[in-house]
Amino acid sequence: MDAPIGVFDSGIGGLTVAKEIMRQLPGESLVYFGDTARVPYGSKSKKTVCKYSRQIAKFLLTQKVKAIVIACNTASALAMEELEEMVDVPVIDVVQPGARMAAASTRNNKIGILGTRSTIKSGIYERYLHKINPELTVVSKACPLFVPLVEEGLFEDRITEDVVGRYLHDMKEYEIDALVLGCTHYPLLRGVIGREMGEDVKLVNPAYETAKTLKDMLKENELLASGQNKGEHKFFVSDGVEQFLSFANSILPYSVEQTTVIDIESY
Ligand code: DGL
């Protein structure tokens, strides 16, 4: 089926998931929406994030998407159930695949979770992880300064090293051996985070397992794109086209020539 897949995030973070989908499903077309006017979601309430997610889902449905990927941990944590009820296409989140990957990665049953304030406060990773294995020790840490550092492009910078060092200081005492990058912006800081935690700690990026879950779901429901052609992608934002374009082109293995601004509040 040649309809596109809708992918959304509060901003550029979801491009780390889009990139993995493009790699695992090169024949699929994507419609990406980055809510660049209303980022960050990570400090907002469930009510607000649900409202934003509903508006975005409505917009994506106007693009005739065959499935929606919530490429944002915060929206996955707060709005997944609501979106599943609202739309009649399959919805894939990033938290359940991330939890599965983390549980499969740990050897000593000690897992760390990094995320936005709202994701960590929701306790969603702990719930999924304890469903998989009640014996797991899970340590969580909200890292609210990571998203602005990424949005400013400070992937490798002394300020980033300072902030990462400060947030991860306590985490190191728990001897975790797997650390979930539980916000789709964070894989862009994996160099600094990896150096801080050391090579014995496996960094878990939920994007890989999310794309795999999407692929399995499309296969099962006979929704895979039919042709041999490469997918064609469209990009939409709610503000700041220039900044988004330069980010998209630095992150994606694909040249993004056009991005369209839409008035998301009208949906
Ligand atoms: N990238 C998003 C996440 O995965 C949200 C970051 C934000 O908007 O605060 O949580």
Side-chain angles (χ1 to χ4, degrees):
M1 189 179 172
D2 291 334
I5 296 161
V7 179
F8 81 88
D9 179 45
S10 59
I12 56 159
L15 291 171
T16 60
V17 179
K19 181 179 172 183
E20 189 56 31
I21 297 173
M22 289 174 186
R23 197 182 69 80
Q24 291 191 34
L25 290 160
E28 298 293 338
S29 300
L30 306 188
V31 175
Y32 184 92
F33 177 76
D35 201 356
T36 43
R38 305 188 293 193
V39 66
Y41 281 12
S43 50
K44 298 196 169 75
S45 67
K46 181 176 167 87
K47 192 172 162 219
T48 302
V49 174
C50 281
K51 177 186 146 194
Y52 291 174
S53 302
R54 278 196 307 270
Q55 289 174 321
I56 297 167
K58 271 191 204 157
F59 162 69
L60 291 174
L61 291 176
T62 67
Q63 299 293 306
K64 306 266 180 290
V65 296
K66 62 184 173 187
I68 293 178
V69 178
I70 311 177
C72 171
N73 286 261
T74 310
S76 296
L78 304 182
M80 169 73 175
E81 281 174 18
E82 220 179 299
L83 285 198
E84 272 189 318
E85 276 169 28
M86 178 188 141
V87 302
D88 53 10
V89 296
V91 181
I92 302 279
D93 72 326
V94 284
V95 173
Q96 297 180 68
R100 280 201 298 278
M101 218 173 152
S105 302
T106 182
R107 295 286 160 257
N108 70 2
N109 282 354
K110 291 183 187 165
I111 296 175
I113 310 289
L114 305 180
T116 64
R117 276 208 181 99
S118 301
T119 300
I120 297 304
K121 196 170 148 223
S122 76
I124 192 151
Y125 270 103
E126 284 88 337
R127 282 203 296 286
Y128 284 130
L129 283 166
H130 285 141
K131 241 192 230 171
I132 299 170
N133 179 359
E135 305 286 300
L136 293 172
T137 301
V138 184
V139 195
S140 303
K141 179 82 182 169
C143 307
L145 289 173
F146 282 4
V147 168
L149 287 170
V150 170
E151 298 267 336
E152 287 303 318
L154 300 172
F155 306 154
E156 290 283 345
D157 193 279
R158 267 190 48 205
I159 300 178
T160 310
E161 285 169 4
D162 283 352
V163 173
V164 167
R166 191 184 276 218
Y167 280 144
L168 300 190
H169 180 74
D170 300 346
M171 187 70 82
K172 284 193 199 156
E173 287 172 14
Y174 291 95
E175 294 176 347
I176 55 161
D177 70 351
L179 179 62
V180 180
L181 305 177
C183 168
T184 52
H185 283 68
Y186 298 179
L188 296 164
L189 300 181
R190 71 178 304 145
V192 181
I193 296 173
R195 285 199 296 281
E196 184 64 27
M197 294 307 291
E199 53 190 26
D200 294 338
V201 178
K202 184 164 181 346
L203 301 186
V204 177
N205 174 4
Y208 173 81
E209 188 69 18
T210 301
K212 192 171 164 293
T213 306
L214 172 68
K215 190 174 178 178
D216 293 345
M217 183 281 292
L218 293 176
K219 246 190 219 162
E220 229 168 76
N221 292 284
E222 297 182 3
L223 288 172
L224 278 172
S226 53
Q228 298 297 316
N229 298 339
K230 279 193 94 173
E232 282 172 23
H233 312 304
K234 286 188 190 159
F235 297 85
F236 296 87
V237 291
S238 44
D239 202 2
V241 169
E242 292 304 317
Q243 207 191 345
F244 180 86
L245 264 181
S246 86
F247 259 117
N249 282 312
S250 68
I251 292 168
L252 296 176
Y254 164 90
S255 158
V256 182
E257 265 135 43
Q258 209 200 328
T259 302
T260 308
V261 179
I262 58 156
D263 176 13
I264 195 66
E265 289 285 352
S266 67
Y267 286 87

